[in-house]
């Protein structure tokens, strides 16, 4: 079970579970007329932004990096897992959940919150490196720090995370604008 924590997708699902639990708590406090603590509001807001971006990133990396790499290497076991109900749900449903959350909440993205997605990525990278050193297991080939170009790969990964944060920010803004315009027509 502990080994699963080190995989990006498992960690992301766990953290999304925490996000949805905190969001539900804030909603319930609001509905019963209690004051929602500012710390809770801020945590929900930042987690929403980070996990929306991360969910899109996971989906895109699976379909554009991992699956093609498995196909090129002939790794049929990994492909079977990726195309199974579990694999498809694990790597795609998180996008649907965060998109639904985007539609029903009043939160927006702030460019000034982008460093939180970098922090999330750096914490994951530190845990993944520790796990690799402790067990010899590396789940993602592009995290191999023994490669000569590892520093560039890590910088590229952070750049991709930043790009996906801004992609999510602009997509969220566009989607909320379309929904507002549609609601006005009703």
């Amino acid at each position: 079970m502990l080994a699963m924590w080190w995989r990006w997708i498992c960690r992301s699902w766990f953290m999304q579970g925490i996000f949805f639990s905190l969001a539900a708590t804030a909603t319930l406090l609001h509905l019963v007329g209690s004051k929602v603590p500012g710390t809770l509001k801020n945590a929900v807001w930042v987690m929403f932004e980070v996990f929306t971006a991360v969910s899109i990133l996971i989906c895109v990396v699976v379909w554009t990096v991992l699956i093609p790499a498995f196909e090129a290497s002939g790794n049929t076991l990994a492909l079977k897992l990726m195309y199974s109900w579990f694999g498809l749900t694990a790597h795609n449903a998180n996008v649907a959940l965060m998109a639904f959350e985007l539609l029903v909440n009043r939160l927006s993205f702030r460019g000034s919150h982008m460093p939180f997605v970098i922090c999330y990525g750096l914490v994951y990278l530190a845990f993944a490196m520790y796990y690799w050193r402790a067990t010899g297991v590396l789940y993602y080939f592009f995290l191999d720090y023994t490669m000569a170009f590892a520093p560039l790969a890590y910088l590229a990964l952070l750049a991709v995370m930043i790009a996906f944060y801004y992609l999510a920010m602009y997509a969220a803004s566009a989607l909320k604008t379309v929904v507002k315009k549609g609601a006005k027509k009703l």
Side-chain angles (χ1 to χ4, degrees):
M1 180 62 178
L2 181 59
M4 294 300 285
W5 173 253
W6 303 106
R7 293 188 187 197
W8 185 267
I9 187 65
C10 296
R11 190 156 188 250
S12 294
W13 273 106
F14 177 77
M15 295 303 294
Q16 280 183 352
I18 292 173
F19 160 73
F20 282 114
S21 297
L22 292 176
T25 300
T27 300
L28 289 173
L29 286 172
H30 177 74
L31 289 174
V32 299
S34 294
K35 181 169 173 43
V36 180
T39 305
L40 178 58
K41 288 180 188 178
N42 292 337
V44 167
W45 188 7
V46 167
M47 290 176 84
F48 165 71
E49 294 170 308
V50 169
F51 298 122
T52 299
V54 167
S55 70
I56 297 167
L57 174 66
I58 287 169
C59 185
V60 170
V61 166
V62 163
W63 289 101
T64 63
V65 177
L66 296 178
I67 289 176
F70 296 149
E71 287 173 345
S73 67
N75 189 340
T76 56
L77 183 62
L79 287 169
K80 185 176 180 180
L81 175 64
M82 288 295 189
Y83 291 125
S84 71
W85 172 251
F86 173 78
L88 290 170
T89 304
H91 298 106
N92 298 293
N94 51 358
V95 177
L97 289 172
M98 295 310 291
F100 178 75
E101 178 64 22
L102 170 74
L103 292 173
V104 299
N105 72 31
R106 294 178 296 170
L107 299 173
S108 60
F109 279 71
R110 283 257 172 96
S112 61
H113 291 178
M114 182 273 301
F116 290 106
V117 81
I118 293 173
C119 290
Y120 182 78
L122 289 173
V123 168
Y124 177 78
L125 189 60
F127 279 123
M129 294 303 101
Y130 169 79
Y131 187 74
W132 186 22
R133 290 187 61 126
T135 67
V137 175
L138 180 67
Y139 287 110
Y140 305 110
F141 64 89
F142 50 84
L143 296 181
D144 183 348
Y145 62 76
T146 64
M147 296 182 304
F149 58 87
L152 290 176
Y154 295 158
L155 289 174
L157 184 59
L158 290 176
V160 166
M161 291 186 71
I162 292 167
F164 274 89
Y165 180 85
Y166 284 109
L167 172 72
M169 181 171 80
Y170 292 117
S173 176
L175 189 58
K176 286 193 178 221
T177 300
V178 167
V179 169
K180 281 182 187 175
K181 285 181 182 179
K184 287 181 182 178
K185 290 182 180 179
L186 297 175

